Amino acid sequence: MRALELIRTYARKVRVGERIVPKEEINEANLKDISFAWFDFKNITSVEPVEDMGALESLRIIDLKFCALKQIPSFVFESQATFLNLKNNYLTHISDDIGKLSGLQYLNASYNNIMSVSSCLPHTLEYLSLSRNNLQELDTELAHLHKLQILQLSYNRLELFPSSIAILTKLHKLNVSNNKLTQLADIKALQELKILYANHNKLREVDESVYELKKLVHLYLGCNELTKIDEKIARLTKLQNLDVSSNLIETLPAEISELRLNVFNA
């Protein structure tokens, strides 16, 4: 398959530079100016390899949401994508080929049935969503993602907190809600963290390292099995939203009153 055939046959929307254009207007001359393509592969069992992916030299944004994909088309791994959306498909894993996308910054693979993730995820990633999948464990697969700022792992089946998260020091937002976690790891190194979702788990205590996250603004711990909140919570001087509702907490420390909370659910 040629690149022009790929675009004319399967593209829903195409952007040439900053302008969305009808795919019928795409020709050999302006292929190299395509920056965004949203594809429709529904009811397509497989997509032929593209012989001349180099013709799409400016293609950086590839949108494959709602395509009923069981595997990622091979042409994706030959692209120069920085943004890849795989949301709402039928993927069961992310293969090692993802490592070929050496400049990938954004990867959304939520709403699939992913059970395993390659350890070859590009180290350039800044955003990674694996929410609403079937992950039971993660660990070293994430350890090298030192540029990651947002990590979404909600609605999986994780029982152990992935220890490698504790070294991702650029994280601004971490969502591990709606899993089966009984404890968090020592995450005091995450000093850039502003948002932590750990609600709807089986947490029995708050790891003391959470109270060391000085930039934390939003902390969601509702619907767990917590029996207490430590007085050290007063150290979180930037905290604005705190949810500890639906736990087993009988009394809260007076130090909570020292916080300037906009929203407090208990």
Side-chain angles (χ1 to χ4, degrees):
M1 177 187 293
R2 307 290 292 179
L4 183 57
E5 181 185 357
L6 174 74
I7 296 297
R8 286 183 172 175
T9 304
Y10 297 114
R12 292 187 187 184
K13 290 183 180 179
V14 178
R15 186 168 70 207
V16 176
E18 297 300 319
R19 186 171 67 93
I20 298 293
V21 301
K23 60 184 181 181
E24 293 77 18
E25 292 184 13
I26 301 300
N27 53 47
E28 295 286 356
N30 58 18
L31 264 180
K32 64 181 178 59
D33 297 319
I34 293 175
S35 58
F36 160 83
W38 177 15
F39 293 98
D40 184 2
F41 293 128
K42 280 185 178 177
N43 302 316
I44 306 297
T45 55
S46 64
V47 181
E48 294 178 29
V50 178
E51 301 171 12
D52 57 338
M53 269 308 292
L56 293 167
E57 62 184 35
S58 296
L59 181 61
R60 296 292 183 270
I61 302 175
I62 300 177
D63 197 330
L64 296 171
K65 63 177 177 286
F66 294 101
C67 281
L69 294 172
K70 294 184 178 179
Q71 60 184 19
I72 303 171
S74 60
F75 79 85
V76 172
F77 304 124
E78 302 302 321
S79 74
Q80 301 297 316
T82 59
F83 179 109
L84 178 58
N85 191 353
L86 299 168
K87 183 178 179 180
N88 282 98
N89 281 290
Y90 300 139
L91 303 175
T92 58
H93 69 286
I94 295 180
S95 73
D96 289 350
D97 285 334
I98 197 74
K100 296 178 180 179
L101 299 177
S102 59
L104 194 67
Q105 298 173 8
Y106 176 104
L107 175 59
N108 187 344
S110 60
Y111 290 86
N112 279 279
N113 190 33
I114 294 171
M115 293 179 281
S116 63
V117 177
S118 170
S119 58
C120 296
L121 288 169
H123 67 88
T124 50
L125 280 175
E126 297 177 8
Y127 176 100
L128 174 61
S129 179
L130 296 169
S131 292
R132 293 190 182 266
N133 277 289
N134 198 23
L135 293 168
Q136 297 185 48
E137 60 180 4
L138 274 174
D139 194 13
T140 57
E141 297 91 337
L142 306 176
H144 62 293
L145 303 181
H146 297 299
K147 294 184 178 181
L148 204 61
Q149 296 181 25
I150 298 176
L151 177 58
Q152 309 269 30
L153 295 173
S154 60
Y155 289 94
N156 277 285
R157 299 172 60 192
L158 298 173
E159 296 184 8
L160 295 176
F161 187 88
S163 59
S164 58
I165 291 176
I167 62 174
L168 304 181
T169 57
K170 295 288 182 68
L171 277 183
H172 291 175
K173 178 180 180 179
L174 173 61
N175 190 342
V176 291
S177 65
N178 291 274
N179 278 283
K180 299 180 179 181
L181 301 175
T182 57
Q183 62 183 26
L184 301 177
D186 182 342
I187 56 174
K188 63 176 176 289
L190 306 186
Q191 287 300 308
E192 298 300 316
L193 199 65
K194 296 179 180 178
I195 304 173
L196 174 57
Y197 286 92
N199 47 302
H200 290 276
N201 278 287
K202 298 181 178 181
L203 299 178
R204 298 184 184 121
E205 61 181 4
V206 181
D207 192 276
E208 289 207 1
S209 62
V210 173
Y211 303 124
E212 303 300 323
L213 304 177
K214 300 300 176 59
K215 293 186 179 180
L216 208 59
V217 178
H218 307 278
L219 177 58
Y220 300 95
L221 297 168
C223 299
N224 277 288
E225 299 174 9
L226 302 175
T227 57
K228 70 173 185 175
I229 297 294
D230 198 282
E231 60 188 22
K232 294 174 184 174
I233 197 167
R235 296 178 181 176
L236 302 179
T237 57
K238 294 187 181 297
L239 202 63
Q240 296 178 14
N241 293 349
L242 174 62
D243 181 10
V244 293
S245 62
S246 300
N247 277 284
L248 304 175
I249 301 169
E250 294 185 0
T251 59
L252 291 167
E255 286 76 7
I256 284 183
S257 63
E258 299 175 17
L259 299 173
R260 298 180 179 181
L261 298 174
N262 294 329
V263 178
F264 178 36
N265 293 321

